[in-house]
Structure formats: C-alpha cells, structure tokens
Amino acid sequence: MLTPSTLSGQRARLADIRDNLIARIAEAEHEGRLGKVEGLKVGLTGAEEKLAAAVFGLRASLVGGRVGGGHGRVAAEVPHL
C-alpha cells in the first residue's frame, strides 16, 4: 500500500533524477552531443510524468482520495516544484 511517507520518498527520488537529467542535458549540449541530448530529454519527460503522478498521488492520499486508480492518467498539469 502506498502511504504518504513512501510517496514523499518516491517524489524526492524522482526530483533528484529529474535534476540529474537536467544537468546531464546541459553538459551534453555544451559538448555538442545532440544525439545524447535527445535521449536524455526522453528520459526527462518520463521522469517529469512520474514525478507529477507521485505528487498527485501524495496530494490524493493526504485528502483521503484513492491512490493508483487513475488508469494510467497523469495530472493535467505538472505542478511547480
């Protein structure tokens, strides 16, 4: 079962992954490695979608809503973190 504490930990880990990908994209752009940039951007999109879902799940669990019943849907907007 997902609890607020596990969702909070997941959110923190995903935020770290997102931040690392942003730094790696900047480095690859600086080095002119455009193929690497594109691949990292795909990973960044996935991380941001999972982060948005984790934030949505955390908020839902804090207000007593269901967690994990969204049929794969992600929140319509990625919240500013």
Side-chain angles (χ1 to χ4, degrees), residues 34-51:
L34 301 180
K36 184 74 169 181
V37 169
E38 291 305 311
L40 291 169
K41 284 183 177 180
V42 170
L44 178 60
T45 299
E48 288 175 336
E49 288 174 356
K50 288 182 180 183
L51 182 57

Side-chain angles (χ1 to χ4, degrees), residues 1-14 50-51 53-55 57-58 61-62 67:
M1 177 175 175
L2 295 175
T3 64
S5 62
T6 57
L7 287 170
S8 180
Q10 181 184 27
R11 181 197 164 279
R13 177 73 178 125
L14 289 167
K50 288 182 180 183
L51 182 57
V55 170
L58 177 59
S61 68
L62 292 175
V67 176

Side-chain angles (χ1 to χ4, degrees), residues 17-81:
I17 291 169
R18 180 207 51 209
D19 294 345
N20 179 271
L21 284 166
I22 290 170
R24 290 174 60 196
I25 289 168
E27 180 181 356
E29 285 175 337
H30 177 73
E31 294 173 356
R33 299 171 63 198
L34 301 180
K36 184 74 169 181
V37 169
E38 291 305 311
L40 291 169
K41 284 183 177 180
V42 170
L44 178 60
T45 299
E48 288 175 336
E49 288 174 356
K50 288 182 180 183
L51 182 57
V55 170
F56 178 76
L58 177 59
R59 288 181 182 162
S61 68
L62 292 175
V63 296
R66 287 181 21 186
V67 176
H71 304 291
R73 294 186 194 137
V74 178
E77 295 181 26
V78 175
H80 183 354
L81 302 173

